[in-house]
Amino acid sequence: MNTTRRGVLAAAGGVGAAGLAGCLGEGAANQAEVGGDGSDSRLAYLRVANEDAVDHTVHVLVQRNGEPVHWSDHELDDGDREMTSETVEQSWTGSADEITVYLRLDDEDEWESFDIADGGGDCFGAMAKVDAEGEFGVWFQQNPPACETTPTATPEER
């Protein structure tokens, strides 16, 4: 998707104005925290997936330290017979900063969110999945192999 900085900033403003629906899924934590040395955690990868019997569009907005760094839309075919998924192209460069991911399903007004913040410097992978009832859930993987190959942002990129 070809997006302008103005479009991303407008979307980010819309997220703040609309309010967020809270954590993703029943009982799911909206923050990947494990405690530790106080350094920020990294998000090595983000996948979106669909297990629902109907097609869905998942809108993704990623903010680093409160600034939008990624915006994309993912059209996922129905997952009736087999889960469909896509890996979100990483434009946040695996930085060890506060990363907040906002997700919106189809044309809903409310956004869901989760943070990768102060997890003791650990690295996480995340998958946001639309389940068979059409609801989001998020699964985290701590220190996946992708962490070894994910570049860290330079100070100029922050």
Side-chain angles (χ1 to χ4, degrees):
M1 177 179 171
N2 191 2
T3 341
T4 65
R5 179 172 167 77
R6 182 177 299 180
V8 171
L9 292 172
V15 169
L20 300 173
C23 69
L24 295 172
E26 294 276 331
N30 68 344
Q31 212 169 33
E33 289 192 30
V34 293
D37 63 7
S39 60
D40 291 328
S41 295
R42 294 185 301 134
L43 180 61
Y45 70 82
L46 173 63
R47 292 188 185 107
V48 291
N50 185 19
E51 284 186 331
D52 198 5
V54 297
D55 298 351
H56 286 287
T57 300
V58 177
H59 307 278
V60 177
L61 171 65
V62 179
Q63 291 185 340
R64 180 176 60 217
N65 296 327
E67 294 292 322
V69 293
H70 178 86
W71 173 271
S72 60
D73 301 318
H74 302 271
E75 295 182 17
L76 300 174
D77 292 335
D78 71 73
D80 191 31
R81 295 193 178 134
E82 182 177 320
M83 180 176 71
T84 60
S85 67
E86 290 183 14
T87 300
V88 176
E89 183 179 334
Q90 188 180 61
S91 60
W92 53 91
T93 322
S95 62
D97 291 314
E98 183 177 322
I99 300 291
T100 303
V101 178
Y102 298 94
L103 302 163
R104 185 178 73 184
L105 187 60
D106 301 318
D107 292 324
E108 291 182 4
D109 292 331
E110 294 184 358
W111 290 75
E112 306 282 344
S113 71
F114 67 90
D115 297 322
I116 300 293
D118 194 16
D122 287 320
C123 183
F124 293 90
M127 181 171 69
K129 181 172 64 174
V130 182
D131 66 17
E133 287 79 41
E135 300 291 326
F136 273 125
V138 175
W139 287 261
F140 294 97
Q141 180 181 12
Q142 187 174 1
N143 296 318
C147 291
E148 295 175 16
T149 59
T150 301
T152 302
T154 63
E156 296 81 33
E157 293 174 315
R158 292 184 180 181

